[in-house]
């Protein structure tokens, strides 16, 4: 067991609040479920393209899924609609607890990185606008391997770049598909239960489960940065 795992964070919805997109979706579709349906389909088709051997940047898939969803409802997406959603996606605020929780983890000696389906350019813009870009040592993107999460190649490329063993890395995400992908690569994982996300009781289970990043940070600090007797002991997942 390492002194502390290297922490790698998903970005969309895990750190940044996806609900910032909701006003535009509500206006365009007049349906409170449209935004969540769009995001679920965005993830589905990013994975479908990956499985078929095709790579398309995440934001381009997002635009195509938006138009596809609109077509099924006889709605036309205008240039202004697309521009508004692009702007909102690039400027999503962090969840309220995120900045302080990230700083607390750094203060306790954890190294912080990101791994996102976004391109590096989009990721940098998002994290800069959220005011947290400087808290991460480095940002990783699927564009390097041209496959979207949870493809194994995405995670497998991170450990050599960090000169770390896979078991010394912990993925922190609010999506089960991401924690499954990380576990398959030999990583530890932590699941944040953001709205609309819950554990899946089949397959690899996360090592930590918390209602928000504060809860996950508490558990990590307790285990690796706190009392000596807790350090290195095998512990079951805990719902904080």
């Amino acid at each position: 067991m390492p002194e502390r795992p290297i922490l790698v964070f998903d970005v969309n919805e895990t750190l940044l609040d996806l609900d910032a997109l909701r006003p535009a979706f509500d206006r365009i579709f007049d349906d409170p479920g449209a935004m969540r349906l769009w995001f679920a389909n965005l993830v589905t088709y990013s994975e479908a393209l990956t499985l078929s051997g095709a790579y398309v940047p995440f934001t381009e898939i997002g635009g195509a899924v938006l138009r596809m969803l609109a077509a099924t409802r006889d709605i036309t997406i205008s240039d202004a609609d697309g521009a508004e959603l692009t702007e909102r996606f690039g400027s999503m605020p962090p969840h309220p607890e995120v900045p302080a929780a990230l700083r607390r983890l750094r203060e306790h000696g954890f190294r912080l990185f990101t791994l996102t389906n976004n391109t590096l350019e989009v990721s940098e813009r998002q994290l800069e606008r959220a005011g947290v870009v400087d808290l991460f040592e480095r940002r990783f993107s699927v564009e390097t391997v041209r496959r979207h999460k949870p493809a194994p190649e995405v995670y497998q490329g991170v450990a050599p770049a960090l000169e770390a063993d896979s078991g010394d890395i912990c993925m922190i995400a609010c999506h089960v598909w991401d924690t499954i992908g990380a576990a398959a690569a030999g990583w530890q994982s932590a699941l944040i239960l953001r709205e609309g996300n819950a554990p899946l009781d089949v397959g690899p289970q996360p090592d930590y489960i918390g209602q928000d990043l504060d809860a996950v940070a508490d558990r990590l600090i307790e285990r690796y940065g706190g009392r000596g007797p807790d350090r290195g002991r095998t512990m079951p997942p805990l719902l904080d």
Side-chain angles (χ1 to χ4, degrees):
M1 180 68 67
E3 183 69 13
R4 295 179 184 85
I6 296 170
L7 304 183
V8 178
F9 292 82
D10 173 54
V11 175
N12 298 321
E13 194 171 20
T14 297
L15 298 178
L16 307 182
D17 191 354
L18 200 65
D19 275 346
L21 307 180
R22 191 177 297 278
F25 276 91
D26 289 350
R27 176 181 57 78
I28 295 169
F29 291 96
D30 192 26
D31 176 1
M35 189 270 286
R36 288 287 169 184
L37 179 61
W38 167 79
F39 190 69
N41 276 277
L42 168 55
V43 172
T44 296
Y45 285 103
S46 71
E47 294 176 1
L49 287 163
T50 293
L51 287 170
S52 69
Y55 173 76
V56 180
F58 200 59
T59 50
E60 291 185 27
I61 303 171
V65 169
L66 175 68
R67 294 187 294 273
M68 181 179 71
L69 182 61
T72 66
R73 305 182 183 201
D74 295 324
I75 295 172
T76 299
I77 301 297
S78 68
D79 290 343
D81 292 333
E84 178 184 356
L85 284 165
T86 297
E87 171 62 23
R88 287 182 178 273
F89 188 75
S91 58
M92 294 184 291
H95 289 284
E97 86 285 0
V98 162
L102 292 173
R103 292 188 180 94
R104 190 155 57 95
L105 286 165
R106 276 176 53 111
E107 289 168 0
H108 281 81
F110 290 92
R111 300 176 63 194
L112 312 184
F113 299 83
T114 62
L115 174 60
T116 177
N117 274 331
N118 297 327
T119 63
L120 286 172
E121 179 184 1
V122 171
S123 173
E124 181 176 14
R125 183 164 65 249
Q126 288 179 313
L127 295 173
E128 282 183 345
R129 292 188 179 186
V132 296
V133 69
D134 293 336
L135 298 177
F136 300 99
E137 291 187 37
R138 179 175 173 181
R139 292 166 291 105
F140 292 95
S141 166
V142 301
E143 69 177 324
T144 303
V145 296
R146 298 178 66 82
R147 293 175 68 81
H148 288 97
K149 294 189 288 182
E153 296 88 345
V154 177
Y155 308 92
Q156 291 167 354
V158 173
L162 295 178
E163 298 182 346
D165 293 333
S166 296
D168 295 345
I169 304 173
C170 180
M171 183 80 211
I172 299 179
C174 70
H175 307 116
V176 172
W177 48 263
D178 212 348
T179 61
I180 289 174
W187 294 17
Q188 302 172 50
S189 65
L191 179 66
I192 299 176
L193 302 179
R194 299 294 185 201
E195 180 184 357
N197 295 276
L200 182 72
D201 63 5
V202 296
Q205 297 298 303
D207 299 279
Y208 308 96
I209 302 175
Q211 292 290 345
D212 57 19
L213 184 54
D214 267 334
V216 170
D218 286 344
R219 196 68 178 127
L220 287 164
I221 291 168
E222 176 188 1
R223 183 171 182 181
Y224 293 99
R227 299 185 303 275
D230 287 341
R231 188 172 297 129
R233 184 168 63 192
T234 300
M235 303 176 72
L238 176 69
L239 177 57
D240 290 303

